[in-house]
Every structure is written in structure tokens, then in C-alpha cells.
Amino acid sequence: MAGAAAVAAPAVHAQASVKLKFQSTWPNKDIFHEFAGDFVKTVNAMSGGRVELELLAAGAVVPAFQVADAVSAGIIDGGHGVSAYWYGKNKAFSLFGTAPAFGWDADELLGWIRYGGGQQLYDELVQNILKLNVVGLLTGPMPGQPLGWFKSEISSPDQLKNLKYRTVGLAADLNKELGVAVTILPGGEIVPAMDRGLIDGAEFNNPSSDTVLGFPDVSKVYMVKSYHQALECFEVLFNKTKFDGLPKDVQAIIRGAADAASSDMMWKAQDRYSKDLEALKARGVKVIQTPAAVLQAQLNAWDKVIANLSSDPFFKKVVDSQMAWAKRVVGFRLEYEPDSAMAYNHFFKKA
């Protein structure tokens, strides 16, 4: 008999993609919303269409400061923000985004998250202490943030006393120690508040975001270098029930996409922030470095904030872990790496 019995081909069923609503805490034109979009595109591409994240800007479903609760409740499936925004739930939350200025940078903060026990402490806070139904991925290291935008130059810590100033997270506690009258506002509300005279000064994050938000339209004094938020990283949130229901390989893709987007964000920021700072100068903005007296006052204030908040055992546990990591890792960097300022000045600031 010619030929063998035909073997039936297996039935192939196309798997419908999982569609998830993913809202950022950022205005549509902010570079931070762009970073959120880069993460979304990476997930969608790497998953081959098995997951489709739909990016929404702040306020599309809920206000920026309600994203964590909305993700936990399943009102939205995921979100992009910073852990300092949830500092009202527990002040230790801010430690995972705007940690004290121990001499470390945001990349070293993410090293602590990954290899120093930080992720386990974050999970303990989110899932065990606060009972939030979320999975959080820390990603995207940010450079040190400016002291901010003011009507006139800040040359002494005394000028900060009773100043109406916007910041978020532990930086609020820090500035209160300095006598500042702190107001906590989401990004899109800051410049209107300055324009109306409701606040005297404010910080947001970086030259690109600050330009888009409109700071140079209401101020021409930009104080850079500060210890109030010397390092920060982004936070990607997913509803835990929804995330746990995804196939394991898709979960791994999302985690890998967060790491990939983190690296790309850091490289993109190098390009955009440096260009946009030069553009601000060309618009007549005075870029002034925060004086040493103010920086030292900030460090002294950090001592008080850490001491006060360490009465909470969990806060102390996180800070102790961070200090142990920073002492070892920053100590290694300072001992091991050459001085970048010396080399830069040699090539670019010759007499």
C-alpha cells in the first residue's frame, strides 16, 4: 500500500491578547509620560501581542495621587509613578523612591533593590503592612534633582524659613525641619499655583519636565544640586490578582521590559536633560548651584528626619538596610573610581 497514514496536524487556537489599562501619574507632554510609554511599547513588543498595555495620562481614569489605590482596587490594571506619591500611606514608602542622601545615586538605589534586600522590604510594606493588592517594579534611575524654581536666588538656609514650597515624599519632612511651609502637589498643578502666588518656590524633577510644565514662564531662577531628593527611581504597579493570572513567561517579559526600559530611560535622559538645560539658559533662565551652607543644612535636617521616623520599626529596618548598602557600595566607588570632575575640567575647562 503506497504511502503512510496521514498524521493529523494539531489544532492551533489563537490566544486572545490580554488588554490592560495602564495609567501614568504624569501629564501627557511630560518626558515622564514618554518614559511610561517606552515601557508600554517594550512590553507590547516583547510579548508579541500577547499583552497589550493601553497607556493613559494622569487623570484619564483617576487623579495622579490615586493611582496606587486604583490599581489595588482593579479600577485600572497598572500604573507608572513614583513611590514618594504614596508617602501619605506610610512614610517608609518614600524610602523606595526618594531615599536619604547617603552619597549614593539612583543606580545604586536600584542595586540595593535588586541585590541588597530592597525588593523584599518593598514587598513586605506593600503586601503585608499596607495590604495593597499590587505588584511593584522599581525601575528608571533619576539623577539628583534641583532645589527648584524661585523668585530670587537662595543663598542662605534662612531664606527657606516660611517659604511656601512644593515638594513630595520625605523631602516634605526634610524641608519642614528647615522651616519651610511645604505644599504637596502633583506635577500638573505646580506652575498654576506659582503663577497665582499660592507658592513661592517649587521643585519637580529635571530640565525637560520642568520646561514642559511651564516653570520658565513663571520663574527665571533655577537652583540646581540639592540633597532633598538626591536620588529617585520610578515605580511600575500592576494589580496583583491580574498580574498573578498572567502566564509565567509573560510575567517574566514584563519584569524584563521594566529593566530594558530602565536602561533606555537613563540613556535618553542623558541626551534630553543636557540639551534642555542649555535651552533654558538660552531663554534667560539663571542656573545657579545651591550653596554649600544650604546643602549642609539639608544634611543636618536628614539626621533629624531619620532619627524621628526611625521610631517606627519598619522604617528603621529599611533605613538600616540602605545605610549598610550605601556605606559599602558608595565607599567602593569613591575609593575605586577616578575623579570625573578632574578629567572633565582637564579637557573642557582649560585656561
Side-chain angles (χ1 to χ4, degrees):
M1 186 172 64
V7 178
V12 177
H13 300 285
Q15 186 179 32
S17 63
V18 177
K19 299 182 184 296
L20 304 176
K21 289 191 180 296
F22 187 84
Q23 185 188 302
S24 86
T25 56
W26 319 115
N28 190 53
K29 293 183 179 180
D30 188 358
I31 194 172
F32 285 1
H33 189 68
E34 184 180 332
F35 292 151
D38 292 338
F39 167 73
V40 164
K41 291 174 186 174
T42 303
V43 170
N44 292 349
M46 289 175 66
S47 69
R50 294 170 66 194
V51 175
E52 291 183 20
L53 301 187
E54 178 190 0
L55 179 63
L56 305 168
V61 180
V62 296
F65 283 177
Q66 294 179 22
V67 164
D69 286 332
V71 172
S72 182
I75 297 169
I76 51 178
D77 302 305
H80 184 281
V82 289
S83 62
Y85 275 10
W86 329 128
Y87 138 106
K89 293 182 177 298
N90 187 308
K91 292 192 177 183
F93 228 142
S94 191
L95 290 170
F96 298 94
T98 55
F102 297 136
W104 53 344
D105 61 26
D107 206 34
E108 290 160 337
L109 170 66
L110 288 173
W112 169 74
I113 292 289
R114 185 60 62 86
Y115 291 105
Q119 185 68 54
Q120 291 81 0
L121 289 166
Y122 174 92
D123 293 342
E124 180 182 349
L125 172 63
V126 170
Q127 294 164 15
N128 298 346
I129 297 175
L130 296 177
K131 308 295 184 184
L132 292 174
N133 186 35
V134 300
V135 170
L137 311 176
L138 285 305
T139 177
M142 304 181 207
Q145 296 176 33
L147 183 65
W149 298 82
F150 302 91
K151 295 176 182 177
S152 58
E153 179 179 347
I154 303 297
S155 57
S156 162
D158 291 338
Q159 290 174 264
L160 296 172
K161 288 182 170 58
N162 300 316
L163 188 83
K164 292 179 289 186
Y165 175 79
R166 179 270 178 192
T167 189
V168 295
L170 289 173
D173 295 76
L174 178 88
N175 278 284
K176 287 174 184 175
E177 289 291 343
L178 295 170
V180 177
V182 173
T183 297
I184 297 176
L185 296 169
E189 298 179 20
I190 306 170
V191 169
M194 285 190 70
D195 192 37
R196 293 164 57 194
L198 300 178
I199 54 176
D200 304 313
E203 60 83 31
F204 184 68
N205 191 279
N206 65 81
S208 302
S209 294
D210 290 359
T211 299
V212 169
L213 289 175
F215 278 101
D217 296 327
V218 295
S219 170
K220 288 293 186 285
V221 176
Y222 194 28
M223 304 288 299
V224 298
K225 296 191 177 182
S226 176
Y227 285 133
H228 79 288
Q229 287 177 322
L231 66 164
E232 189 171 13
C233 65
F234 290 110
E235 175 190 53
V236 169
L237 295 173
F238 282 97
N239 177 273
K240 188 174 188 301
T241 302
K242 189 67 66 91
F243 187 86
D244 289 348
L246 296 172
K248 295 297 183 185
D249 64 322
V250 174
Q251 294 180 24
I253 286 169
I254 291 174
R255 294 183 185 277
D259 285 348
S262 180
S263 296
D264 184 64
M265 187 221 93
M266 181 168 55
W267 303 326
K268 180 185 284 189
Q270 292 172 10
D271 178 45
R272 296 275 285 279
Y273 292 0
S274 58
K275 288 177 180 175
D276 287 337
L277 185 64
E278 292 305 310
L280 284 171
K281 293 176 183 177
R283 291 179 60 177
V285 171
K286 292 176 62 180
V287 178
I288 303 167
Q289 294 188 4
T290 301
V294 174
L295 294 174
Q296 186 59 57
Q298 289 179 325
L299 292 176
N300 295 341
W302 269 123
D303 287 338
K304 295 177 182 177
V305 169
I306 293 168
N308 291 340
L309 297 182
S310 289
S311 60
D312 174 73
F314 181 77
F315 189 99
K316 185 177 188 307
K317 180 164 70 167
V318 177
V319 165
D320 286 349
S321 175
Q322 290 184 333
M323 291 187 77
W325 176 266
K327 183 177 181 180
R328 174 165 59 88
V329 172
V330 179
F332 168 81
R333 170 166 54 83
L334 294 177
E335 181 176 11
Y336 202 79
E337 293 187 4
D339 181 9
S340 58
M342 179 179 179
Y344 182 88
N345 291 336
H346 173 79
F347 286 102
F348 302 114
K349 291 193 174 182
K350 294 180 178 179

